[in-house]
């Protein structure tokens, strides 16, 4: 069988070192109960085999090794007189601190084994029970509350008087201290000597010098009251010299907290920057876990962390036994049997060895198996009943000890059957200051430690957030800011850490239950209303009046033996509710509230410590927290940061110090840095949320507060962690975004200004705390709400540049590639915005100087600024391979070049205006930039919209340049042929980049552009044909080209339903072209053919006239509606026809039609005379004469309106078409 306890060397305390599950053997006492034990910690040496003493050995004589430290007995030899060592009042807290993982979660009870045994013996024993009960999560901590010691202390110090009065008034009016009998001390001495005799081996009696020898003599000869009282911790005012631990009073001259020393803030980011508590001060309060063994004992379904000091012997045939000394004249009673049985179960010891003596003389030994103990003569008991007692007591305590942080008192008077439970915290607060309760501080520390422990593991399971929050809030309720600022600051910081600012909101889909009560894991009112079933077990109403202070009462100890008499109806929930935040702002406000409380706590402690001796200004303060091993890199970074801050604003070099007097490296200094950073993050998130809601004034106010926090941080801390620098970079980037949005939404400036100047009291208090340390304004420039557009854009750009500079000098570029790309994108974008701003300003200046011929210096300056911005922006985008945005900026640069070209046009009214070389230069530069943009994109698939836009701009540039060259031909510098060639080339290139086939919103524009180009080219070739003489081949070429482009122009204009005038003009030009050709023809047949062709073109204008008629009808209807309406609205001039243009074209059309008809009549008549008419020609002649006569009559009637004239023309064209069809040979 394996050794169950005392395994190996001691495990280090403070860690949940779970040894191999040695001794987790299942005992079945009477086959009724289940029990298993796992040793979590043991300081006992390997078990020593016990020496069986010879008969007649006199135990009254001390052995040679008595009270000498022994390696075999270990601490049991010198510190334990037998196995009934008096437990300290805070023994459970010592264990809880060491096994913090178990508290609040897995374990139901933490206590000394003696207390457990005392509770389970209540129905069998008449002796009094007095225990303090505390709840941490679902765990109960049980400690002995020695009323006698307490009141002895009270009579000397004046503490606890309120409890003494309460006790005397309600419970035991004739209280007096009972002195322990001589028999008691005699029995203890006998047992101690027996244990020393039992150590096997000759060396057992060898004396070993021990510093604790004198300390241990006292209890043997008669334990003094003073020694007993020393174990009781004082309330907060107790000087450290009264502490039990002799080493605790010699703490040096460092000023300490009155009760507990709190550790520094851990700065390691991997531990979530939590503040942790060192164990200093635990010893001074008797909170040390000094049990020989800490055992995780599972009794049925109850999990207990138990401290035990029972000596265990082993070796040989008996691997593990407990050793007991019994007086042969006194039979074993039930209480002793339960005691032995429970001790063996807890320590997992399979056998018990009893040595019987008479008056100290050894008589015999007897070996008993643990499972046989309940069946011993005179001490038989039911293990099932013990199980029921355990379950009932636990249920009773769990149902009634509901408030975390409160001290409950379980009390049964000697000889009484009634067990009462009081809430001492409530009683104490009714009479005196809550800090008069010495349990207040240990409970607060434990709540804090459990929360800390869960916090370090919080990412594993976020269900624990509610539990952590409840623990911390209950901890804060117990603490006084004046006495414990560090724990309060740290707890508030941890509370703020629970609310994740850098993650999306998770509250809506969390796994843990949500309830309305956020401060507690249960409703206290609900918990405190016990289940009043038929047995009325918790009812207070029928109790006598003197019991109205009790929280709950067990009327008879006999009830505890009834199975499931007490049920814990209201289970303590394993996970507590986390408050539901209905938005980012609410979440951040909660965080800022906790941060502010933490800052107040730090600031108050700095004030308090202001009476410390002032430091010598000439002596540098050693900054011990700096890591010298890595100083090479950070030193350089520190210099870079100082240079950067100096460049940014009014930062004074070498001013890394606090104005309030905080010492670098102190807990206040480190904690304040953490709190400042947390508030900065909260303000950043608020700003980001306001930005999404388009509340730009509010967003700027929040980012201003975030950067003010950073200002203070920079002034306090010379070296910054990379995470802090990355965050600063994010703040500056967001600030740049806000300033840009403010610039783009200048219309709402008044509303933004109002939002910007609003401030909450909380924000003012946080600012006040910041200003206690520093008033430097490094980033003040970034958060001004300017009314000037240029200034806002400039600030935005500077913010992005600052963010980029941080990434550069801190070498964070490679570690944060996404951030680096985002900053560069924003830099490129803002430079584009500024470039466009200057470009638009230049265009406005250009518009204003209509009279002046020369380009002003202002314009040139604006061009340079704009060009510089575009160039830098292009570099930014190209550095991150952002082809699309680079193309857009190249496109904008092309537009700037076109504005420069337009600026070089001569003033209007100059009849000698020619297309200048400067214009040509800038238009060609524009074309270069557009071509670069296309090369940057590579192909249309990369970004179709941008590709189409660049193509359109390029087409427009070629078209504009060709049009200007055509309209304002530079004949003084170039030959006509050269100009025509250049115009033709430019027009063809414009056509190349004008996409008429792709269906898009721009398609009609492209079609119109292409039609216009064909029209212009046709006109140009038509003009060349008219003006040129000589080269017949060239004339023929021009004739073919003119005809080709006219026909293409007509086809494209016919596709468009909104360009009837353009279509009509092209058709009239075609008629003119036909007339010109006819003039050079000699034969009547040729002329007639050309005439019929021209009339055919005339007939084809029918579609254009129909469109004109449609628009005229729509316009007249609109006018009619407006006349009848009460408030006529002006008609939309953009859609209406240009009537002057229509009238002009109509006049030309009528005259050309009249001319063509007359010419055709003449030619047909002469042909008929000569040849004798054919039927077709006769029909054509007849039709033409009829149409011609109608046309003449219509032209003579000057009173006809425009619409009527259009109707006449359409009628004539209809008749002309019908006549030609009837004649089948008229108009071809």
């Amino acid at each position: 069988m394996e050794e169950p306890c005392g395994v190996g060397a001691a495990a280090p305390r403070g860690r949940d070192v779970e040894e191999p599950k040695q001794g987790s053997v299942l005992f079945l006492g009477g086959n009724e109960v289940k029990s298993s034990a796992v040793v979590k910690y043991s300081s006992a040496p390997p078990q020593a085999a016990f020496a069986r003493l010879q008969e007649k050995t006199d135990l009254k004589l001390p052995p040679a090794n008595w009270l000498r430290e022994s390696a075999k007995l270990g601490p049991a030899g010198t510190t334990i007189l037998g196995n009934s060592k008096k437990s300290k009042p805070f023994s459970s807290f010592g264990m809880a601190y060491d096994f913090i993982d178990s508290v609040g979660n897995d374990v139901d009870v933490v206590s000394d084994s003696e207390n457990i045994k005392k509770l389970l013996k209540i129905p069998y024993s008449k002796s009094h029970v007095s225990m303090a009960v505390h709840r941490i999560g679902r765990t109960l901590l049980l400690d002995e509350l020695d009323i006698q010691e307490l009141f002895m202390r009270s009579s000397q110090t004046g503490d606890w008087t309120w409890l003494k009065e309460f006790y005397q008034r309600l419970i035991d009016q004739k209280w007096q201290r009972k002195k322990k009998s001589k028999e008691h001390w005699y029995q203890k001495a006998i047992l101690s000597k027996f244990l020393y005799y039992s150590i096997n081996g000759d060396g057992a009696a060898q004396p070993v010098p021990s510093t604790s020898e004198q300390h241990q003599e006292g209890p043997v000869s008669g334990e003094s009251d003073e020694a007993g009282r020393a174990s009781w911790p004082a309330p907060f005012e107790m000087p450290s010299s009264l502490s039990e631990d002799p080493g605790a009073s010699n703490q040096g001259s460092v000023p300490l907290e009155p009760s507990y020393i709190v550790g520094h803030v851990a700065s390691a980011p991997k531990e979530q920057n939590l503040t942790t508590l060192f164990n200093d001060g635990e010893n001074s309060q008797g909170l040390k876990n000094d049990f020989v063994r800490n055992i995780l004992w599972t009794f049925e379904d109850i999990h207990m962390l138990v401290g035990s000091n029972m000596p265990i012997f082993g070796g040989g045939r008996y691997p593990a036994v407990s050793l007991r000394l019994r007086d042969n004249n006194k039979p074993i009673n039930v209480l002793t049997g339960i005691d032995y049985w429970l001790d063996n179960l807890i320590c997992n010891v399979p056998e018990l060895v009893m040595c019987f003596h008479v008056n100290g003389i050894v008589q015999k030994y007897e070996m008993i198996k643990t499972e046989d103990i309940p069946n011993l003569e005179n001490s038989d008991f039911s293990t099932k009943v013990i199980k029921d007692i355990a379950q009932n007591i636990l249920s009773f305590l769990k149902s009634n000890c509901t408030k975390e942080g409160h001290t409950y008192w379980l009390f049964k008077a000697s000889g009484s059957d009634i067990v009462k439970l009081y809430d001492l915290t409530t009683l104490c607060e009714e009479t005196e200051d809550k800090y008069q309760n010495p349990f207040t501080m240990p409970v607060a520390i434990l709540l804090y430690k459990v929360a800390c422990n869960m916090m370090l593991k919080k990412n594993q399971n976020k269900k624990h957030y509610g539990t952590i929050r409840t623990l911390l809030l209950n901890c804060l309720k117990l603490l006084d800011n004046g006495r414990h600022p560090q724990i309060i600051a740290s707890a508030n910081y941890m509370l703020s850490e629970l609310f994740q600012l850098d993650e999306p909101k998770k509250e809506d889909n969390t796994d843990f239950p949500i309830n309305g009560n956020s401060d507690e894991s249960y409703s206290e009112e609900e918990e405190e209303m016990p289940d009043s079933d038929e047995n009325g077990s918790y009812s207070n109403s029928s109790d006598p009046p003197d019991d109205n202070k009790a929280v709950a009462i067990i009327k008879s100890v006999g009830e505890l033996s009834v199975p499931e008499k007490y049920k814990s109806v209201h289970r303590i929930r394993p996970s507590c509710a986390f408050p539901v935040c209905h938005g980012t702002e609410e979440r951040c406000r909660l965080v800022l509230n906790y941060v502010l409380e933490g800052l107040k706590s730090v600031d108050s402690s700095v004030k308090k410590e202001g009476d410390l001796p002032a430091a010598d200004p000439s002596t540098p303060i050693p900054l011990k927290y700096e890591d010298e091993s890595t100083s090479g890199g950070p030193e350089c970074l520190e210099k870079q940061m100082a240079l950067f801050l100096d460049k940014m604003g009014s930062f004074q070099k070498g001013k890394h110090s606090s104005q309030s007097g905080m010492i670098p490296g102190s807990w206040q200094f480190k904690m304040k840095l953490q709190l400042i950073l947390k508030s900065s993050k909260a303000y950043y998130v608020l700003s980001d949320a306001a930005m999404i809601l388009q509340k730009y004034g509010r967003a700027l106010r929040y980012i201003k507060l975030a950067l003010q926090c950073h200002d203070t941080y920079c002034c306090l801390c010379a070296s910054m962690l990379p995470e802090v620098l990355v965050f600063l970079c994010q703040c500056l980037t967001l600030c740049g975004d806000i300033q840009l949005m403010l610039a783009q939404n200048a219309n709402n400036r008044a509303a933004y200004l109002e939002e910007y100047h609003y401030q909450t009291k909380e924000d003012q208090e946080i600012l006040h705390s910041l200003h206690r340390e520093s008033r430097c304004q490094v980033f003040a420039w970034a958060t001004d709400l300017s009314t000037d557009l240029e200034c806002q854009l400039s600030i935005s750009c500077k913010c992005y540049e600052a963010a980029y500079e941080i990434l550069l000098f801190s070498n964070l570029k490679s570690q944060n590639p996404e951030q680096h790309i985002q900053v560069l994108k924003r830099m490129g974008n803002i430079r584009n915005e500024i470039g466009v701003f200057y470009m638009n300003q230049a265009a406005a200046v250009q518009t204003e100087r209509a009279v002046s011929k020369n380009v002003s210096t202002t314009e040139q300056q604006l061009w340079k600024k704009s060009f510089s911005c575009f160039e830098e922006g292009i570099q930014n985008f190209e550095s991150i391979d952002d082809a699309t945005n680079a193309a857009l900026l190249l496109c904008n640069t092309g537009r700037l070049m076109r504005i420069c070209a337009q600026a070089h046009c001569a003033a209007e009214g100059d009849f000698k205006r020619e297309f200048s070389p400067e214009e040509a230069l800038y238009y060609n530069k524009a074309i270069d930039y557009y071509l670069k943009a296309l090369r940057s994109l590579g192909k249309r698939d990369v970004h179709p919209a941008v590709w189409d836009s660049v193509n359109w701009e390029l087409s427009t540039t070629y078209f504009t340049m060709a049009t200007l060259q055509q309209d304002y031909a530079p004949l003084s510098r170039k030959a006509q042929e050269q100009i025509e060639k250049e115009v033709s080339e430019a027009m063809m290139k414009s056509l190349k980049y004008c996409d008429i086939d792709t269906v898009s919103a721009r398609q009609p524009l492209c079609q119109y552009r292409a039609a216009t180009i064909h029209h212009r080219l046709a006109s140009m070739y038509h003009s060349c044909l008219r003006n040129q003489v000589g080269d017949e081949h060239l004339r023929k070429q021009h004739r073919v080209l003119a005809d080709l482009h006219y026909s293409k122009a007509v086809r494209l204009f016919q596709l468009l339903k909104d360009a009837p005038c353009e279509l009509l003009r092209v058709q009239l030009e075609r008629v003119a072209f036909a007339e010109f050709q006819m003039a050079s023809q000699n034969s009547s047949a040729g002329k007639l053919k050309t005439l019929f062709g021209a009339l055919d073109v005339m007939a084809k204008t029918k579609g254009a006239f129909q469109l004109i008629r449609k628009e005229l009808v729509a316009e007249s209807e609109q006018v009619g509606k407006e006349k009848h309406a009460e408030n006529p609205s002006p008609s939309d001039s953009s859609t209406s026809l240009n009537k002057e243009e229509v009238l002009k074209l109509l006049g030309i059309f009528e005259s050309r039609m009249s001319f063509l008809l007359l010419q055709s009549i003449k030619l047909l008549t002469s042909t008929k005379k000569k040849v004798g008419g054919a039927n077709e020609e006769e029909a054509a002649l007849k039709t033409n004469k009829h149409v011609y006569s109608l046309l003449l009559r219509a032209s003579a009637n000057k009173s006809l309106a425009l619409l009527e004239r259009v109707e006449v023309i359409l009628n004539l064209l209809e008749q002309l078409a019908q006549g030609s069809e009837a004649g089948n040979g008229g108009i071809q």
Side-chain angles (χ1 to χ4, degrees), residues 886-898:
L888 283 170
L889 262 75
L890 285 162
C891 197
N892 277 343
T893 315
R895 189 176 146 219
L896 175 67
M897 294 299 115
R898 282 160 62 194

Side-chain angles (χ1 to χ4, degrees), residues 621-919:
I621 299 166
L623 306 179
K624 293 179 184 174
Y625 59 89
E626 288 185 355
D627 184 4
E628 296 296 326
S629 61
T630 57
S631 60
E635 263 182 33
C636 176
L637 178 61
E638 197 176 308
K639 285 177 190 170
Q640 291 274 8
M641 191 67 196
L643 285 169
F644 167 74
L645 294 172
D646 190 42
K647 184 175 160 187
M648 285 296 111
S650 58
F651 181 72
Q652 296 175 323
K653 289 178 188 175
K655 289 279 179 185
H656 294 295
S657 61
S658 157
Q659 290 178 3
S660 68
M662 282 196 308
I663 301 163
S666 65
W667 74 263
Q668 289 102 331
F669 184 85
K670 292 182 175 182
M671 178 51 76
K672 191 150 191 178
L673 281 179
Q674 297 294 335
L675 289 165
I676 287 170
L677 201 55
K678 191 71 185 176
S679 60
S680 186
K681 283 180 181 173
Y683 283 128
Y684 170 83
V685 173
L686 280 169
S687 179
D688 194 40
M691 177 85 169
I692 292 164
L693 295 171
Q694 298 180 353
K695 302 281 185 184
Y696 302 125
R698 190 196 301 175
L700 188 63
R701 168 164 57 89
Y702 284 135
I703 205 68
K704 180 177 184 175
L705 288 162
L707 286 169
Q708 280 177 318
C709 293
H710 255 293
D711 280 343
T712 308
Y713 191 95
C714 291
C715 292
L716 288 178
C717 189
S719 55
M720 287 205 205
L721 292 167
E723 304 90 83
V724 179
L725 286 172
V726 169
F727 177 60
L728 175 57
C729 182
Q730 288 170 344
C731 284
L732 287 166
T733 306
L734 180 60
C735 189
D737 293 349
I738 295 163
Q739 290 284 10
L740 176 58
M741 288 295 107
L742 287 165
Q744 289 178 348
N745 295 272
N747 299 339
N748 298 334
R749 192 164 277 147
Y752 296 147
L753 206 62
E754 191 180 334
E755 288 173 5
Y756 179 68
H757 289 300
Y758 173 78
Q759 208 167 50
T760 65
K761 189 184 177 209
E762 196 175 55
D763 296 338
Q764 288 167 351
E765 287 181 342
I766 288 173
L767 271 180
H768 173 70
S769 180
L770 297 177
H771 290 154
R772 276 172 54 86
E773 308 309 329
S774 160
R775 287 185 176 271
C776 65
Q777 300 281 306
V778 181
F779 300 106
W781 55 267
T783 52
D784 286 336
L785 182 52
S786 174
T787 52
D788 179 48
L789 184 61
E790 185 180 353
C791 181
Q792 284 176 324
L793 291 170
S794 170
I795 289 171
S796 179
C797 187
K798 196 177 172 186
C799 285
Y800 296 139
E801 285 169 354
Y804 182 63
E805 201 168 331
I806 291 169
L807 288 174
L808 277 186
F809 75 67
S810 57
N811 292 325
L812 293 168
K813 195 168 74 169
S814 54
Q815 296 165 31
N816 299 273
E818 187 57 38
Q819 180 119 357
H820 177 241
I821 289 167
Q822 286 303 318
V823 170
L824 276 170
K825 266 193 178 178
R826 283 170 163 81
M827 278 169 72
N829 181 52
I830 192 64
R831 282 167 173 162
N832 178 50
E833 291 287 338
I834 298 171
V836 169
F837 170 76
Y838 287 135
M839 180 167 72
N840 291 340
Q841 275 199 326
V845 171
Q846 181 187 315
T847 311
E848 286 167 14
R849 63 159 185 93
V851 184
S852 168
K853 292 185 181 181
N854 298 324
V855 177
S856 66
T857 317
T858 311
E859 276 181 90
Q860 289 179 334
Q861 291 295 325
L862 289 168
W863 294 343
K864 283 178 185 173
K865 285 181 181 177
S866 179
F867 181 73
S868 171
C869 289
F870 287 142
E871 205 168 37
E872 287 174 349
I874 291 163
Q875 285 171 3
N876 292 147
F877 286 127
E878 284 178 348
S879 68
I880 53 171
D881 299 324
D882 190 342
T884 307
N885 281 316
L888 283 170
L889 262 75
L890 285 162
C891 197
N892 277 343
T893 315
R895 189 176 146 219
L896 175 67
M897 294 299 115
R898 282 160 62 194
I899 287 172
C900 296
Q902 288 161 18
H904 284 87
C905 288
E908 288 178 27
D910 188 350
F911 64 92
K912 289 181 182 177
R913 155 99 169 98
E914 284 189 357
F915 183 67
S916 66
E918 289 82 4
E919 286 177 89

Side-chain angles (χ1 to χ4, degrees), residues 1097-1115:
V1097 171
M1098 282 287 194
K1100 284 177 181 173
T1101 58
K1102 183 180 173 184
F1105 279 114
Q1106 282 173 335
L1107 286 171
I1108 290 169
R1109 180 179 64 180
K1110 187 180 174 183
E1111 290 197 26
L1112 287 170
V1113 168
E1115 199 174 308

